[in-house]
Amino acid sequence: MTKDTSGGPTSAVTGTGTAAGTATATGTRGAEPTARDCPDCGERIPVDSRFVTWCTACGWNVDPEDATPDEPEPDRVERLRRTLAHRYGEQLFADLAAAPGADGPAASRPTGGAALLATVLALAVHGLTVGLAVLGLWLLVARWGEGLQPAVGGLLLALAFVLRPRFGRLRKGSELPLLESADAPRLFALIDEIGVLVGTRGVDVVVLDADVNAFVSAYGIRRRRVLVLGMPLWATLDPQERIALLGHELGHYAHGDTRHGFLVGSALGSLDTWRYMLARSEDGDSLSDAFINVLTAPPRWAVHGLTLLLDGATLRAAQRAEYLADGAAARTAGRDAAVGFLQRLLVYRSTGSALRREIVAARTRVGGRARREVRAEGLWQRVAAEVRTVPEREYERLHRVAELRGHRVDSTHPPTHLRIRNLARGELRAPALVLDPDRAAALEAELAAPAQKVAALLLRDGGA
């Protein structure tokens, strides 16, 4: 969700500095080469041991299979979700180009038949849970003493309890900093100011954690709003890109992200629970496993069908909500800051690598807790400095990889490269809010203590 498109200084050179124009840029004896010839087209290409070596001219090695960890094989539902997501993502990109002003508060909600279908399916899912509870209670009470029926009733009640709609809650006993307005008045004042600009109110709680991510949610019967800020992401953003991040997240509230609403969101959660409980057994080839797989096949396929129907009714709106939240970020912080925020998402693996090196350094040196506390000081600044050295050509490679992979990684968001292209073709206008240096420094100082606590927890737990 971010960038610094300059990428910082690049450590690779092109090797074209001699009179003959064919100098070998190998540096001193024993040093790693800083350039090589592309094996496909012969183009001279830079080499940086930190990143994938690839050719901009012909695309050689742009997405090597061993450049990323093995991804788990998606199940049938996830594969179909990604097919839908790819179709909707491309359609929405074209639609937004044709109607760039269609970004009102309800623009991301399903309309017409899709809205009705989503509501009916969500109510059907919750109705099934209520039906299980009623049947279980009847078997338990009215059929008490009649064979196994009370036991079956108790089982159905337990199942209904597991499948119940969740209102959500903050994790009890969490050591992560939970901030309210009294704990971080400058941050909450900024969030409230951005909320007014995007057409919504602010949040009730901010949670700082160690993920390269940020998101908003609601919890409890009163639907209190919570913003989760991943410090590794926050630290790599410049002040204006931080405005863009906050504008994007608050934009989800302003545009009514349907899949995160209570009715549909809790129904999707119940269906995911059903899918987990009815998943086909792959571990054993015994007769009992085969029998269970056959027995659970009808409800499993029914749940898969319901999931795909609900996805089909809401996925387009959910992806549109992402585009519209990007638009809110651009209006608030300026287009370049919003593009920069999305660019930084492309290098999340570099951020993760920097964090892993910090964790290893803290664990392999003597000193125990004291050593970790020392390493925690300035950790986010060191990570941000390392991420800023990512060269421009690595951003270009990751753009190309995103185009090749599309929705292979995430089926609920439009591909990041399409989101960046959608913003880049928009109108270049002045940001509605500029975070001046004094205010940015005060905000940084306010978050220094809780941010260091997150850093200490990360080094202690190893990112678990």
Side-chain angles (χ1 to χ4, degrees):
M1 296 159 101
T2 68
K3 95 151 198 273
D4 175 340
T5 50
S6 66
T10 173
S11 60
V13 298
T14 59
T16 56
T18 66
T22 58
T24 302
T26 56
T28 59
R29 179 174 302 217
E32 293 184 359
T34 56
R36 59 169 291 185
D37 293 332
C38 172
D40 281 0
C41 70
E43 182 81 10
R44 198 67 174 161
I45 54 178
V47 174
D48 186 331
S49 61
R50 300 173 301 162
F51 307 106
V52 173
T53 300
W54 68 290
C55 179
T56 57
C58 70
W60 169 79
N61 205 43
V62 67
D63 187 19
E65 291 182 0
D66 60 350
T68 57
D70 292 337
E71 298 170 6
E73 185 67 22
D75 62 19
R76 186 185 303 270
V77 171
E78 184 60 24
R79 289 196 298 271
L80 290 171
R81 272 178 168 170
R82 293 177 184 183
T83 300
L84 282 174
H86 177 76
R87 181 187 308 158
Y88 291 151
E90 297 290 344
Q91 288 176 351
L92 278 171
F93 181 74
D95 290 347
L96 289 172
D103 60 351
S108 64
R109 297 187 177 96
T111 56
L116 179 60
L117 180 60
T119 302
V120 169
L121 290 173
L123 290 174
V125 171
H126 294 314
L128 177 60
T129 303
V130 173
L132 288 173
V134 171
L135 178 59
L137 188 62
W138 179 76
L139 289 174
L140 188 63
V141 176
R143 297 295 178 176
W144 187 259
E146 298 184 20
L148 294 176
Q149 294 185 73
V152 174
L155 181 62
L156 292 178
L157 280 174
L159 183 59
F161 179 78
V162 172
L163 297 171
R164 73 194 187 280
R166 302 295 208 281
F167 288 100
R169 59 186 177 86
L170 294 178
R171 286 178 291 178
K172 293 182 179 179
S174 173
E175 297 181 76
L176 293 173
L178 306 179
L179 307 178
E180 295 185 335
S181 58
D183 305 310
R186 292 185 178 87
L187 174 62
F188 276 81
L190 178 62
I191 292 172
D192 289 341
E193 188 174 349
I194 294 172
V196 171
L197 292 174
V198 302
T200 188
R201 68 175 180 87
V203 299
D204 301 294
V205 180
V206 173
V207 179
L208 304 186
D209 71 8
D211 287 338
V212 190
N213 196 10
F215 63 90
V216 290
S217 185
Y219 69 96
I221 296 177
R222 295 168 57 193
R223 312 309 293 156
R224 300 190 77 208
R225 292 182 173 186
V226 57
L227 166 66
V228 178
L229 282 181
M231 285 308 304
L233 176 60
W234 181 261
T236 61
L237 305 178
D238 67 31
Q240 206 58 28
E241 290 168 350
R242 292 175 177 179
I243 297 293
L245 181 152
L246 296 175
H248 174 94
E249 298 305 335
L250 291 174
H252 281 294
Y253 289 129
H255 292 102
D257 196 342
T258 306
R259 288 168 68 94
H260 292 95
F262 176 71
L263 180 64
V264 173
S266 58
L268 286 167
S270 294
L271 287 171
D272 284 341
T273 303
W274 273 114
R275 289 175 57 209
Y276 173 78
M277 297 174 65
L278 296 170
R280 180 182 174 86
S281 175
E282 304 287 353
D283 294 335
D285 298 323
S286 67
L287 188 60
S288 61
D289 287 335
F291 176 74
I292 292 174
N293 285 337
V294 171
L295 188 65
T296 57
R300 180 167 60 248
W301 283 105
V303 169
H304 286 180
L306 272 174
T307 302
L308 291 174
L309 281 173
L310 193 52
D311 271 336
T314 60
L315 190 56
R316 180 181 173 89
Q319 291 209 352
R320 187 175 181 83
E322 289 295 332
Y323 281 118
L324 299 180
D326 292 339
R331 292 193 303 274
T332 306
R335 188 190 67 183
D336 290 346
V339 170
F341 157 63
L342 291 176
Q343 290 274 41
R344 196 66 77 202
L345 286 182
L346 293 174
V347 294
Y348 75 96
R349 292 192 187 280
S350 294
T351 307
S353 297
L355 291 173
R356 286 191 292 274
R357 283 190 288 273
E358 290 287 343
I359 292 169
V360 170
R363 288 174 170 243
T364 55
R365 300 182 184 182
V366 296
R369 178 179 177 181
R371 176 65 190 174
R372 289 196 301 270
E373 290 178 352
V374 171
R375 292 289 304 180
E377 291 187 24
L379 181 144
W380 305 122
Q381 289 80 3
R382 294 193 300 273
V383 169
E386 185 166 342
V387 172
R388 291 192 184 101
T389 67
V390 175
E392 177 66 25
R393 64 180 282 107
E394 178 66 5
Y395 281 100
E396 182 181 351
R397 184 186 76 84
L398 293 170
H399 271 282
R400 295 196 190 187
V401 170
E403 292 176 1
L404 291 172
R405 295 185 183 183
H407 288 274
R408 198 178 85 187
V409 177
D410 184 1
S411 63
T412 61
H413 288 66
T416 303
H417 74 281
L418 288 184
R419 295 168 62 189
I420 292 173
R421 284 171 57 190
N422 183 61
L423 283 178
R425 67 188 178 186
E427 179 185 357
L428 183 62
R429 51 187 173 186
L433 175 62
V434 176
L435 198 62
D436 62 74
D438 290 341
R439 191 176 182 185
L443 185 63
E444 189 83 10
E446 182 176 79
L447 294 179
Q452 183 168 346
K453 182 178 180 181
V454 176
L457 291 172
L458 174 71
L459 298 180
R460 186 196 70 184
D461 300 334

